[in-house]
């Protein structure tokens, strides 16, 4: 019998260069996986906001700070047929319904990883076959198709988070496929995690509240539950989440300011309460049980 090697992962969207906060989150995901005897895999989530060249630079930056991974990085855009197969599975279980609401309403209630949109009011959930046919024809006349939304069979779902404990959320009728055919983050993230043998999800805590919906979708697709650890975001001195407009925040910016790679790693280590100038050293001494769940405020150097 072969034993499947489970994995942790880091899944950046290639929408630009990563800042030191993203590198810190990647570091934590890598430490969690390595300390628990897991593989570590990378997935480039390139079905949405893609900036040319960003994925390659992200991989290079991860490598430069000393993060190692066990398989070729997976580009999510290569997985379209698997994503569609998951839609089919959910549909055959009666877990989807067509939604004819306007694009604006769909966008508001849809799949951006970092938003927590208002709940869908259920407008299209109970339409009759005749009503659906009529609405489908109206959309088709303008070259559009309905979106597909989740019809959850439960009101709420609970996940276990190593840092937050039990997290329970109501499950919304989220869009899983938009009218233009685009598949939603909340679906593809679980399909690809399962495919990459990921059972441990460590990521920034702005995604904490998406975890129960994702875990419920995983359950309906027959996947084993994931364990989670949502780690704090890195903030700018203003208190807002760190962003590129805050100054020298990417690895390349910091190197251009005269920092060495070990100084960047030392800074990340110090933010976690440790003195270490390379990641192997940090991996040795980092104590997951003693993790301080407090945002780190990063003050970019000025030249
Ligand atoms: N691709 C998402 C991001 O860069 C992260 C998704 C995840 O870790 O589940 O924000």
């Amino acid at each position: 019998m072969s034993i499947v090697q489970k994995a942790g992962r880091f899944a950046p969207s290639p929408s630009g260069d990563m800042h030191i906060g993203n590198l810190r989150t990647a570091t934590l995901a890598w430490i969690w996986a390595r300390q628990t005897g897991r593989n570590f895999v990378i997935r480039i989530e390139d079905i949405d906001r893609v900036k040319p060249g960003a994925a390659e630079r992200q991989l290079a930056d991860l490598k430069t700070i000393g993060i190692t991974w066990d398989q070729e990085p997976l580009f999510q855009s290569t997985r379209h047929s698997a994503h569609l197969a998951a839609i089919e599975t959910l549909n055959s279980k009666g877990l989807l319904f067509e939604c004819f609401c306007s694009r604006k309403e769909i966008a508001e209630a849809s799949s951006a990883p970092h938003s927590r949109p208002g709940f869908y009011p259920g407008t299209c959930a109970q339409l009759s076959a005749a009503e659906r046919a009529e609405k489908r024809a109206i959309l088709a006349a303008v070259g559009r198709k309905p979106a597909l939304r989740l019809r959850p069979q439960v009101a709420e779902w609970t996940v276990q988070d190593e840092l937050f404990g039990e997290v329970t959320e109501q499950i919304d009728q989220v869009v899983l496929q938009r009218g233009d055919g685009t598949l939603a983050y909340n679906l593809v993230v679980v399909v690809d995690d399962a495919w990459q043998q990921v059972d441990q999800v460590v990521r920034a805590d702005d995604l904490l509240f998406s975890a129960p919906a994702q875990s419920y979708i995983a359950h309906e697709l027959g996947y084993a539950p994931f364990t989670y650890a949502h780690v704090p975001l890195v903030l700018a001195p203003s208190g807002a989440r760190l962003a590129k407009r805050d100054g020298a925040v990417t690895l390349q910016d910091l190197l251009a300011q005269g920092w060495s790679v070990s100084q960047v790693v030392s800074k990340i280590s110090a933010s976690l309460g440790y003195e270490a100038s390379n990641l192997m050293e940090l991996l040795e001494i980092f104590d997951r049980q003693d993790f301080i769940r407090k945002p780190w405020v990063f003050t970019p150097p000025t030249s």
Side-chain angles (χ1 to χ4, degrees):
M1 200 181 80
S2 73
I3 295 171
V4 179
Q5 175 67 47
K6 293 297 184 181
R9 49 68 148 187
F10 183 61
S13 300
S15 52
D17 291 343
M18 292 186 295
H19 56 58
I20 192 164
N22 308 127
L23 293 172
R24 182 186 194 249
T25 302
T27 298
L28 287 167
W30 175 81
I31 289 176
W32 241 264
R34 294 304 187 209
Q35 286 193 347
T36 55
R38 286 173 166 84
N39 276 346
F40 189 65
V41 298
I42 307 281
R43 179 172 64 250
I44 303 291
E45 299 206 319
D46 62 342
I47 60 172
D48 232 350
R49 305 157 289 151
V50 177
K51 191 163 171 197
E56 291 69 23
R57 289 200 302 278
Q58 291 179 335
L59 292 170
D61 286 354
L62 293 172
K63 203 174 253 176
T64 302
I65 66 164
I67 288 182
T68 52
W69 51 89
D70 297 294
Q71 293 160 9
E72 281 301 300
L74 177 68
F75 283 76
Q76 190 158 56
S77 56
T78 62
R79 298 264 306 145
H80 190 62
S81 49
H83 301 154
L84 287 180
I87 286 283
E88 263 321 299
T89 302
L90 294 174
N91 202 22
S92 67
K93 293 178 77 177
L95 296 174
L96 300 181
F97 66 90
E98 290 170 304
C99 172
F100 303 90
C101 296
S102 75
R103 187 176 295 188
K104 185 161 170 274
E105 284 164 314
I106 291 168
E108 280 164 7
S110 94
S111 61
H114 299 283
S115 63
R116 193 184 174 194
F119 274 32
Y120 179 66
T123 325
C124 294
Q126 307 301 339
L127 297 177
S128 67
E131 286 169 321
R132 289 200 308 273
E134 190 186 320
K135 285 179 181 284
R136 226 180 272 134
I138 295 170
L139 280 193
V142 291
R144 287 179 47 208
K145 284 185 164 180
L148 294 176
R149 284 183 183 272
L150 178 67
R151 193 190 290 284
Q153 302 301 297
V154 294
E156 54 181 40
W157 198 255
T158 301
V159 299
Q160 284 298 332
D161 187 283
E162 287 185 44
L163 301 171
F164 286 84
E166 275 193 2
V167 179
T168 302
E169 285 291 320
Q170 270 179 278
I171 304 301
D172 193 11
Q173 295 168 325
V174 285
V175 171
L176 295 187
Q177 185 167 27
R178 295 203 288 258
D180 65 2
T182 313
L183 293 148
Y185 159 71
N186 281 320
L187 175 77
V188 299
V189 68
V190 295
V191 174
D192 290 345
D193 276 339
W195 165 258
Q196 290 188 285
Q197 310 293 347
V198 168
D199 69 340
Q200 178 189 65
V201 173
V202 178
R203 60 186 176 189
D205 62 10
D206 55 339
L207 290 168
L208 176 67
F209 298 107
S210 311
Q214 293 171 8
S215 173
Y216 170 66
I217 292 166
H219 166 80
E220 291 292 3
L221 288 169
Y223 306 148
F226 305 102
T227 66
Y228 294 93
H230 286 88
V231 301
L233 281 174
V234 176
L235 305 180
S238 65
R241 69 155 71 194
L242 189 67
K244 290 230 279 304
R245 64 175 172 277
D246 293 313
V249 294
T250 68
L251 179 61
Q252 297 314 319
D253 292 341
L254 293 169
L255 298 181
Q257 290 281 329
W259 289 31
S260 63
V261 172
S262 4
Q263 278 174 303
V264 175
V265 173
S266 297
K267 195 80 181 172
I268 292 174
S269 303
S271 82
L272 296 165
Y274 297 91
E275 245 180 74
S277 57
N278 73 69
L279 289 193
M280 289 314 285
E281 228 174 285
L282 182 62
L283 179 63
E284 282 284 305
I285 55 180
F286 188 88
D287 180 358
R288 300 192 312 288
Q289 308 307 322
D290 200 26
F291 182 73
I292 310 153
R293 221 185 71 202
K294 203 172 95 204
W296 174 41
V297 178
F298 178 72
T299 308
T302 45
S303 43

